[in-house]
Structures are given as C-alpha cells and as structure tokens.
Amino acid sequence: MSEDVELSLFLEYARRRLAFEYDDEEVGELAVRIIRTLLERGEAIPDENLALILGVSAVELRRVLHTMHKVGLIRLTRETLDQYRYEYKWSIDREFIRKFLIQHLEKVSSKLTQRIEILSSTTIYVCPTCYRGYMLDEAYEYDFKCPRDDTELVQVNASLEITLLANIIKNLKVEGKQ
Ligand SMILES: [Zn+2]
C-alpha cells in the first residue's frame, strides 16, 4: 500500500469509529484533525498543547484521546517530570498506522474465514421478509416458515457467498502486502 492509501484508509476508519463510539459525526471529524495534526508535528504532544493547537476544550479532547487510545488509534506515552509528576503525551507516526492497518486487515479476514467455515459446514435459511437467518435444524423446527412473519424461508446460496467472501479475503491480503 502506498503511504497515501494507508493514510486515507486509516483516517476513514478513525473518523467512522469515533463517530460511531460517540454517535456524533463531529467527534469523527475531530479524530481526523487530531491524527493529521500529530502527524504534521511529528512529536509527542501533551493534551493541553494539542487542545490549544486544535482550538478545542482540553476536557473534551482528553476524552476523545482516551477513546482513540482504547481502540488502538493513537500512541500514549507517560513521561516522568519529577518524583511526583507525570506528563501524558500523544503521538502517531507512519509505522504506527501501518501496524494498525495490518492488524485490522488480519482481524477482518479471519472473521470472513469464520463465516466461510459456517457457510460450508451448514445449510442456512433466510427469511425474505425480515432477513433473519436460520440454521437447518431451526428452519426444520419452524416448518420452514419464519416464526415472526410466517414467510416461507429460502435457502442461502452458500457457494455464491463463499466465492464472494473468498475474493474479499484475497483482495485484503493483496492490499496488506503491497
Ligand atoms: Zn421473517
């Protein structure tokens, strides 16, 4: 992956993840600004300074920074000032972003592999009305009708979905290696 592609994937993921965590698009945008600023500065910055640079309240920023750290989007280092005091600093670099993306791709592809295993080992039925899925034994128990809305269940075309998922995994692996 080129650096530009890596960065835009990472920023897009961070934006969506934080918007999701806070159910607030603005927090997603703030996460993007945080990452861009830390990358431009190229050094570890304490949260008070970062708040000044970004023009946001330090309290709000700290909350967002801790969430970003929790989900692995940012690096936190603790520096000892003297015997009693510490300073927390935040940073990010290209290597950090690269490692994050590789780990993320591995997680996604292992989830997809699991899904393929389920699809290949069992027959799955789905309700065309509410899209709820049923394993063969469940479908059998309900007489192949959805218990919610009485719609006739249809068998999922597993081979089509497996082909699709296998392709996605292949592409993810290619992207991860470039
Ligand atoms: Zn249904």
Side-chain angles (χ1 to χ4, degrees), residues 127 129-132 134 146 148-149 151:
C127 166
T129 304
C130 68
Y131 299 107
R132 209 176 143 184
Y134 299 90
C146 178
R148 285 180 167 180
D149 44 50
T151 311

Side-chain angles (χ1 to χ4, degrees), residues 1-14:
M1 266 187 282
S2 78
E3 286 207 339
D4 284 351
V5 174
E6 277 179 10
L7 181 60
S8 52
L9 276 176
F10 185 73
L11 290 176
E12 183 56 19
Y13 179 82

Side-chain angles (χ1 to χ4, degrees), residues 23-50:
D23 194 20
D24 184 348
E25 294 293 330
E26 275 180 32
V27 180
E29 298 304 327
L30 177 60
V32 169
R33 288 177 62 211
I34 290 170
I35 293 166
R36 284 194 185 282
T37 305
L38 289 175
L39 267 180
E40 275 164 25
R41 298 279 163 148
E43 55 177 349
I45 303 179
D47 34 41
E48 291 85 3
N49 296 21
L50 196 54

